[in-house]
Amino acid sequence: MIDVDADVRRLINSAVDAELGPRRPAPPLAGGAPARRESRAALWRMPVLAASVMALLATGGVALVSSHHAGSPTSATHSAAIQTRPVTPHYPDGANVDGVTVGPLTAKERELEKGLITWGAVPQSMRPGRSYQVTVRVAVTMPSEPSKVLSTSAADVSEFRCPQPFLVHPGLAYEVSCTVHVLAGAIGKLTTTLSTPGVAGGWSYGTFLPRAGAS
Amino acid sequence: MKSVADPLSVIRAGDEPFDALYEAQWWPMVRLAQALVDDVASAEDVVQDAFAGLLRNWPRLRQPGAALGYLRSSVVNGARSALRRRRTVRRWGGLEQVGPATAPGAAAPVLLSEEHTAVRVALAALPARQREVLTLRFVADLTDSEIATATGMSAVNVRSAASRGLTTLRSTFGSLS
């Protein structure tokens, strides 16, 4: 018989330790108070809003440019960016994929040494039989790194529709819109993976969906 | 002898000055928050907010041991809010590496074993209160009475939630073994 109490205690503690890494000292106190850091929610609310506005403006720009340059597949802004980058075969560029919005990095993102993945807009509760739209934003900040392939996948869901794998380039942010149907009683998981073309393996970040209630 | 009229001195007379408490409890609170929200950045934000709240209420704390209870409650409440927002963010360095190594010199990836993943999923599948109770019991090593204080539940409800949660986990892990 499994000693659930002891096993869960051991496993959850070792999982937390693995996730956090070695023990770190507390950040320095500033004048007796913890240095107030801008919360992640606040950090992201405005940039994402700004990115959405930029995307809307860019979309409007594309429409205007297209009306004057029939047959032009991309906006002037995007085509200029793409022309300067080598395109790896087999994967479309994110700028040309439906369901993907490409925009500039926010000021906060540009300051980051590492890239950032944000799963957002996941509903608090989900019901089987209904479809939900979820988004993931990927800020590719590292100028020294080559272009990567971004792909998404899902586990323990009944249906998942998301754009095909596509190329992402440093210095840009990508917002991907996906649709998911959940399974009754299951906890679905969505995963974003970044890999280098032609190289096995990669980096992934997943987020769990709320447990789907009975239909 | 310190003047009782000075609220801050009452706290400091209890051998729990804020700085010492912050140094001693920051990491345990981050561990607890991480267990609850499963996201390092969110966990650190929750703990920072908890200490900021404690500092604001520091002069009003009357009992020497109240600060720690206040902190735990703040972390639990902050974790609830963070989970409600359900926004998860992680930087490259904190991503899970899949397959062979591809990025020489990259930060160490978070590699969780199947056991770790299983227990994470099993706990995540529990109703929120059961998950909180078991996390506080297993990670923070709290008694039922302390858990009741931290969660705002009655001691009876804590025992009931723990029992139901353990029954579910026993069933889950029993079926996996």
Side-chain angles (χ1 to χ4, degrees):
Chain A
M1 170 117 182
I2 292 175
D3 184 349
V4 171
D5 194 310
D7 279 356
V8 173
R9 183 186 296 270
R10 174 179 60 81
L11 287 171
I12 187 63
N13 277 287
S14 56
V16 168
D17 288 338
E19 290 157 3
L20 288 173
R23 179 174 185 145
R24 285 171 277 131
L29 289 170
R36 187 74 177 95
R37 186 177 53 179
E38 192 175 7
S39 75
R40 288 296 190 282
L43 185 75
W44 277 96
R45 207 166 286 137
M46 288 308 294
V48 169
L49 192 61
S52 303
V53 172
M54 290 295 291
L56 279 173
L57 290 172
T59 307
V62 170
L64 283 172
V65 170
S66 299
S67 67
H68 290 291
H69 303 280
S72 175
T74 58
S75 71
T77 306
H78 287 171
S79 60
I82 294 163
Q83 283 167 7
T84 60
R85 297 187 181 94
V87 176
T88 304
H90 309 305
Y91 294 103
D93 192 282
N96 301 326
V97 176
D98 288 342
V100 178
T101 303
V102 188
L105 297 173
T106 65
K108 289 284 185 186
E109 289 168 342
R110 281 196 296 271
E111 293 171 4
L112 299 174
E113 292 181 1
K114 302 286 186 181
L116 199 68
I117 291 178
T118 307
W119 274 106
V122 177
Q124 291 178 26
S125 62
M126 303 178 90
R127 299 175 69 176
R130 290 184 56 186
S131 66
Y132 295 88
Q133 191 171 57
V134 293
T135 59
V136 61
R137 178 180 171 88
V138 180
V140 190
T141 60
M142 297 150 291
S144 61
E145 293 207 1
S147 299
K148 292 183 178 297
V149 175
L150 189 152
S151 59
T152 48
S153 61
D156 296 326
V157 300
S158 65
E159 189 180 340
F160 182 61
R161 275 178 284 149
C162 215
Q164 60 187 310
F166 59 87
L167 278 177
V168 297
H169 306 291
L172 293 173
Y174 296 78
E175 289 197 7
V176 186
S177 183
C178 309
T179 305
V180 63
H181 286 72
V182 296
L183 282 171
I187 297 176
K189 184 178 184 181
L190 307 181
T191 302
T192 303
T193 301
L194 279 159
S195 57
T196 305
V199 180
W203 298 89
S204 74
Y205 179 39
T207 188
F208 287 102
L209 298 171
R211 184 178 195 171
S215 55
Chain B
M1 184 169 175
K2 293 177 186 299
S3 165
V4 178
D6 176 3
L8 194 59
S9 70
V10 174
I11 300 299
R12 294 187 184 275
D15 268 340
E16 279 192 346
F18 184 87
D19 291 5
L21 184 72
Y22 179 67
E23 290 294 329
Q25 291 297 324
W26 183 79
W27 186 249
M29 291 299 158
V30 168
R31 289 188 80 254
L32 173 60
Q34 170 65 15
L36 290 167
V37 302
D38 192 16
D39 177 70
V40 177
S42 298
E44 292 187 1
D45 281 346
V46 164
V47 171
Q48 191 152 312
D49 286 344
F51 274 104
L54 175 64
L55 189 61
R56 283 194 300 273
N57 289 284
W58 192 248
R60 288 190 287 277
L61 293 177
R62 290 286 182 263
Q63 297 171 358
L68 197 51
Y70 181 96
L71 265 183
R72 289 177 188 141
S73 295
S74 297
V75 168
V76 170
N77 287 328
R80 287 172 183 166
S81 299
L83 288 175
R84 271 197 297 273
R85 287 195 297 270
R86 204 76 190 187
R87 173 176 285 280
T88 55
V89 179
R90 197 162 286 184
R91 295 183 187 180
W92 275 199
L95 301 183
E96 181 179 6
Q97 190 173 7
V98 292
T102 59
V110 177
L111 286 173
L112 293 185
S113 69
E114 286 185 17
E115 282 184 312
H116 288 149
T117 304
V119 77
R120 272 297 200 190
V121 170
L123 277 170
L126 295 177
R129 293 304 162 97
Q130 293 178 26
R131 183 175 66 248
E132 282 177 5
V133 166
L134 291 182
T135 301
L136 287 162
R137 175 184 282 188
F138 293 143
V139 176
D141 220 13
L142 302 188
T143 64
D144 288 350
S145 169
E146 290 169 327
I147 294 171
T149 304
T151 58
M153 300 165 67
S154 71
V156 172
N157 284 340
V158 166
R159 282 192 289 275
S160 172
S163 174
R164 287 199 300 271
L166 281 172
T167 300
T168 304
L169 290 182
R170 195 168 289 122
S171 166
T172 303
F173 281 90
S175 66
L176 291 175
S177 64

